[in-house]
Amino acid sequence: MDCAANGMTSETRARPVEPRSQSFHTDSFRRRAHKMMSEWSPVAKVYDPLKAGSIDGTDVEPHDKAVWRAMTARYQPNKGVTGDPHLTLFVARLNPQTSEDKLQEVFSKFGDIRRVRLVRDIVTGFSKRYAFIEYKEERSVKRAWRDANKLVVDQYELFVDFEQERTLQGWIPRRLGGGQGGKKESGQLRFGGRDRPFRKPINLTSMMPQNRSADRWDASSGREERQRDQEQDREHGRWRERKSDWDRGNDRGYYKEKRDSKHHRDRSRERDSNRREDRRHRDSYRDRE
């Protein structure tokens, strides 16, 4: 087929197609890392169970079954809850004996309260140790959020935060594997909230030398990795040689000891035989006399 008919010259057909450079992947990685660092926030703006289970919000796979459960949950906020969510505070870690009147007394110092709701068990009526307090003004909410956190009430240190169920998109409660905070003993900590904010991820792009191209960086990384492998192989070979020498040395020692023992036994037998022969000669000499 004529090359000109296809709009191709002999030079075009002869020119090989260059493979995609590794710098393309490195640049792509650098862009993703830069975007992640620029969008990073210690507090979650949208609730993601997978990120909430990670200390820096960078996990790509869930590390426990509760995270799986939260990721597959189809939770809808309780429509029976009334009041303005942006004027409502979440108060946790209460003393089981703390009452609504006590909460009214303590939190009314920060502003006018519209409603106090202490959550109780539907069967026993006992306190579940958390409550929701709705204020009348936004400045009162902010003042209570700032000053009431870690306040000691009835010998218990309180945790105070804004309501999350109706204000944080994608919220999953603790009973479904989500939530925020948690105790270390449970092994199911959740990050991205006021109690346990995200830690800032390591900026991997800052670790790459700025005075090198991406290709040289990749080449040097591969070269260093090969050098490490070769050094490990050499070390392993030296170890095997030392082990072989040690085994041979043990074998030589074992057989030498065995030969020495046999030689000692032979010499002992020879001495005994010579003594018996001398004794017979002496006895025969006496008999002649």
Side-chain angles (χ1 to χ4, degrees):
M1 183 180 295
D2 190 4
C3 296
N6 293 330
M8 297 176 59
T9 64
S10 59
E11 295 181 357
T12 306
R13 295 190 61 185
R15 187 187 305 137
V17 178
E18 296 182 359
R20 178 173 289 186
S21 173
Q22 292 182 351
S23 62
F24 173 81
H25 302 286
T26 307
D27 292 341
S28 178
F29 169 78
R30 184 184 286 110
R31 286 194 299 270
R32 290 197 304 268
H34 179 72
K35 181 180 179 181
M36 180 181 66
M37 295 301 299
S38 62
E39 295 178 352
W40 179 84
S41 172
V43 179
K45 300 176 182 178
V46 176
Y47 190 83
D48 185 343
L50 182 59
K51 292 183 178 180
S54 171
I55 192 170
D56 56 2
T58 59
D59 279 6
V60 295
E61 292 183 0
H63 67 276
D64 61 49
K65 294 182 179 179
V67 175
W68 272 114
R69 191 166 67 251
M71 292 173 63
T72 56
R74 296 292 180 266
Y75 178 74
Q76 296 294 332
N78 187 357
K79 296 181 179 180
V81 178
T82 60
D84 189 343
H86 299 285
L87 298 178
T88 303
L89 286 181
F90 169 73
V91 183
R93 303 172 188 171
L94 297 170
N95 187 317
Q97 305 302 322
T98 300
S99 62
E100 289 90 340
D101 294 338
K102 183 65 176 181
L103 292 174
Q104 180 81 29
E105 176 187 348
V106 172
F107 282 87
S108 60
K109 300 175 183 178
F110 305 106
D112 295 333
I113 295 177
R114 179 172 295 163
R115 184 188 179 197
V116 175
R117 181 168 65 93
L118 178 63
V119 180
R120 297 180 178 274
D121 188 276
I122 193 172
V123 177
T124 63
F126 294 152
S127 170
K128 287 190 174 183
R129 301 184 56 198
Y130 65 93
F132 295 93
I133 300 176
E134 182 184 358
Y135 283 91
K136 295 181 179 180
E137 297 179 343
E138 185 178 356
R139 61 180 180 180
S140 302
V141 176
K142 293 182 178 180
R143 188 184 303 119
W145 180 86
R146 184 186 66 241
D147 298 336
N149 190 44
K150 296 186 178 181
L151 187 68
V152 177
V153 176
D154 293 338
Q155 292 81 46
Y156 277 63
E157 187 179 88
L158 305 184
F159 171 72
V160 178
D161 199 1
F162 297 115
E163 182 189 338
Q164 305 284 7
E165 182 178 14
R166 296 179 292 169
T167 58
L168 186 61
Q169 181 182 350
W171 173 256
I172 302 294
R174 188 69 180 181
R175 67 177 183 273
L176 297 179
Q180 292 174 340
K183 297 181 179 179
K184 291 183 179 180
E185 296 80 9
S186 67
Q188 296 181 358
L189 299 178
R190 298 294 179 264
F191 301 89
R194 185 180 193 183
D195 189 27
R196 294 188 182 276
F198 288 126
R199 291 186 184 179
K200 194 166 187 177
I202 299 174
N203 189 359
L204 298 178
T205 57
S206 64
M207 298 170 61
M208 301 178 66
Q210 299 300 322
N211 58 347
R212 294 185 180 182
S213 65
D215 290 337
R216 293 181 61 188
W217 169 258
D218 292 339
S220 63
S221 299
R223 185 165 54 252
E224 291 173 0
E225 186 175 355
R226 287 193 298 272
Q227 290 175 354
R228 285 196 302 268
D229 293 340
Q230 292 172 359
E231 181 62 28
Q232 290 176 358
D233 292 340
R234 286 195 294 269
E235 183 64 27
H236 185 64
R238 288 194 292 268
W239 178 84
R240 284 189 299 183
E241 291 176 0
R242 288 197 298 268
K243 186 176 185 300
S244 299
D245 293 341
W246 184 79
D247 292 339
R248 286 195 296 270
N250 281 352
D251 292 342
R252 286 197 296 269
Y254 170 74
Y255 288 115
K256 182 177 183 300
E257 183 180 355
K258 190 174 182 180
R259 287 195 301 270
D260 292 344
S261 178
K262 183 179 180 181
H263 181 65
H264 178 73
R265 288 197 302 270
D266 292 342
R267 293 190 62 183
S268 298
R269 292 194 190 99
E270 185 178 356
R271 282 196 300 269
D272 293 341
S273 177
N274 291 337
R275 286 171 185 169
R276 286 195 297 270
E277 189 67 25
D278 291 342
R279 193 177 297 114
R280 280 199 301 272
H281 286 307
R282 285 197 301 268
D283 292 343
S284 63
Y285 180 77
R286 289 194 191 107
D287 292 341
R288 288 196 207 101
E289 290 180 350

